[in-house]
Amino acid sequence: MIPPVAAAGKARGPLPGFIAGVFAWLPVTFVAWYFAAPVLTWPAALIVELVAKTAFADLVQSIEQVRAVLTFATTLKPGSSSTQGAVITVDVDLMLYSFGLPLYAALVLAAKEPGWVRRLVLGYAVLMPFVAWGALADFLKNVAITLGPQIASQTGFVAWQRDAIAFAYQFGALILPTVVPAVAWVLTHRGFLERLKVPPDPG
Amino acid sequence: MIRFFITFIVLQAVLFGAELTPWAQQYFVGPWTNALAAVSAWLVTVIDPNVAATGKVIRSTVTGFAVSIEAGCNGIEATIVLVAAIFAFPASWGDRIKGFAAGVIAVQGLNIVRVISLFYLGQWSMQVFEWAHLYVWQALIMLDVLVVWLVWVRLLPRDGGNGPRPGGPPEGSRAPAPVSA
């Protein structure tokens, strides 16, 4: 027999405690992410470099990471005679695409499932390619659209490719940074979801 | 589970692609964003009469500070994610529509809080505004979507679905639910 208060808690299931836990953990994980971002985003920077030098070798000379900012040195010219020899550089802030990390960490820690370290590592590995997606799409959007027709014409992208870049950028900026952590959490916490579905005890 | 995620991803991509079309931008996203600005400004005037909305811009008539509600801040993307999650999940159409209606209210309600809070945070400190705008509120809105979906899943009748639960064992092999007495 359990006391009525505990019984009421069980009837509500694990959700209220989980939500309170997420709100308790979020400030902690956000602060940790802010200070550790240069290190945490390093694998994403590696992925960006690998993809850029493989698929866009004609556009990208080098990529440097300073703190959480990637600087793409391109092969594109500014176009003015007074700037001969100069090339276009594009800065991309990886923090804009990696703020799902503290969200995912808060969700994992609040769920209090066994093996939380493994779940954290797994989710981190899953998130990195999507952070790289956002950064790469941001760079491509800059050179193919934002910097104007003089730069865009040097990239060789045709209309449908610019449309695809715009979609990839919007999807990578507005949807993926928050959806991927939530999906990763659902996938790594299927047992938690099953317990959530247990109906309240009638008596 | 695989079917749920494939449907979820396809629905999301289709709805997001539709949102980006010029037609949707002109006839839905634009008017929706303007309405959001108008409602937010109207709510703010209850305590602060020096606020006005013009189109998608909310402006202080005293300081001149203004915020413009852009893509990603109008709650449409969050609603798309919620709609995709609800309609991809095995449930009856009635339950889906109830979840959709409650979800839109929850997401858009919190989004109004986001817009109003950013309007005042920006007047107080641009650094705090940037942090809240770029990171914190994005995470909170998605948390709202996830919580609404989890609550909806919890409230679903156990026999209301038309397929297996995500992550659940095959029908007939489910262990008896634990009791608390």
Side-chain angles (χ1 to χ4, degrees), chain B residues 10 37 43 51 60 62 73-74 80 91 93 97 106 113 128 130 176 179:
Chain B
V10 169
L43 283 172
V51 176
S60 166
V62 174
C73 291
N74 53 20
I80 284 174
W93 280 97
I97 288 165
V113 176
V128 177
E130 287 295 330
V179 290

Side-chain angles (χ1 to χ4, degrees), chain B residues 74-86:
Chain B
N74 53 20
I76 292 176
E77 290 78 15
T79 305
I80 284 174
V81 174
L82 182 65
V83 167
I86 284 176

Side-chain angles (χ1 to χ4, degrees), chain A residues 182-193:
Chain A
V183 170
W185 179 82
V186 168
L187 282 173
T188 53
H189 289 76
R190 289 156 69 170
F192 182 89
L193 289 177

Side-chain angles (χ1 to χ4, degrees), chain A residues 120-164:
Chain A
L120 276 179
V121 172
L122 187 64
Y124 175 70
V126 168
L127 260 64
M128 281 301 109
F130 293 98
V131 176
W133 171 324
L136 201 58
D138 191 337
F139 162 71
L140 290 172
K141 184 262 305 181
N142 268 290
V143 295
I145 299 164
T146 311
L147 292 176
Q150 201 165 35
I151 306 299
S153 63
Q154 298 175 52
T155 64
F157 291 126
V158 295
W160 73 265
Q161 288 173 319
R162 285 199 297 275
D163 287 343

Side-chain angles (χ1 to χ4, degrees), chain A residues 1-2 7 10-15 18-19 22-23 26 30-31 33-34 93 95-96 99 103 107 166-167 170-175 178-179 182-183 185-187 190 192-201 203, chain B residues 1 4-5 8-9 12-13 16-17 19-20 71-73 77-78 80-81 89 131 134-136 138-140 142-143 146-147 149-158 165-169 174 177-181:
Chain A
M1 197 72 178
I2 58 173
K10 287 211 170 207
R12 284 196 305 270
L15 200 52
F18 168 70
I19 295 168
V22 174
F23 278 104
L26 262 181
F30 257 108
V31 169
W33 163 77
Y34 179 75
D93 188 352
M95 291 182 81
L96 292 174
F99 63 84
L103 175 61
L107 291 169
F167 182 85
Q170 297 268 19
F171 202 68
L174 299 178
I175 299 279
T178 49
V179 169
V183 170
W185 179 82
V186 168
L187 282 173
R190 289 156 69 170
F192 182 89
L193 289 177
E194 278 305 305
R195 286 207 306 284
L196 196 70
K197 282 214 56 67
V198 173
D201 178 31
Chain B
M1 191 68 155
F4 165 71
F5 272 105
F8 172 67
I9 290 163
Q12 218 181 136
F16 187 66
E19 186 211 344
L20 294 181
C73 291
E77 290 78 15
I80 284 174
V81 174
F89 197 81
W131 240 83
L134 294 175
Y135 313 127
V136 178
Q138 300 274 57
L140 289 179
M142 186 47 60
L143 186 59
L146 181 64
V147 167
W149 184 74
L150 290 174
V151 170
W152 177 74
V153 167
R154 172 143 181 93
L155 294 177
L156 279 178
R158 294 197 85 193
R165 304 285 183 212
R174 188 190 294 273
V179 290
S180 55

Side-chain angles (χ1 to χ4, degrees), chain A residues 6 33 37-38 42 70 74 79 92-93 101 105-106 111 116 121 147 160 165 168-169 180 185 189 197:
Chain A
W33 163 77
W42 178 70
L70 287 184
T74 72
V92 175
D93 188 352
L101 287 171
W116 58 272
V121 172
L147 292 176
W160 73 265
I165 287 168
Y169 167 71
V180 174
W185 179 82
H189 289 76
K197 282 214 56 67

